[in-house]
Amino acid sequence: MIRYLLLFVLTTPIAAFANSIEIYKFENAEQEKIYHSLTQDLRCLVCQNQNIAESNAELAKDMRRKAYEMVMQGKT
């Protein structure tokens, strides 16, 4: 029983981290370059002026998703 509890405790943080990984697929390298440039330049409103690429705030995640959608639509 203790083994199962220990296994659960050790794997829970890993599983929680795995859910926060965002994977975006781009049609070409130019789109990926634009996306990374935008996420480095845009600042998170929740964090202390941290860029959205490095922020883990929910707002930053939403902003990264929206930036991806706009890049895929061809917007600049």
Side-chain angles (χ1 to χ4, degrees):
M1 182 67 172
I2 293 176
R3 289 183 193 180
Y4 294 118
L5 181 61
L6 182 61
L7 179 64
F8 176 74
V9 170
L10 291 176
T11 57
T12 300
I14 294 170
F17 177 72
N19 290 335
S20 66
I21 296 174
E22 300 166 345
I23 299 174
Y24 294 120
K25 296 183 180 181
F26 299 93
E27 295 173 1
N28 56 52
E30 185 64 28
Q31 287 178 333
E32 186 172 2
K33 182 179 174 183
I34 292 169
Y35 171 79
H36 288 297
S37 176
L38 282 172
T39 58
Q40 291 293 324
D41 290 343
L42 295 172
R43 300 290 165 199
C44 179
L45 300 171
V46 176
C47 303
Q48 305 249 338
N49 204 26
Q50 187 177 25
N51 64 37
I52 65 170
E54 298 171 353
S55 175
N56 289 325
E58 287 298 318
L59 178 62
K61 291 177 184 178
D62 290 342
M63 291 174 70
R64 286 192 297 266
R65 181 187 47 77
K66 188 63 176 176
Y68 171 76
E69 290 172 0
M70 293 176 79
V71 167
M72 295 306 290
Q73 293 172 358
K75 296 181 180 177
T76 59

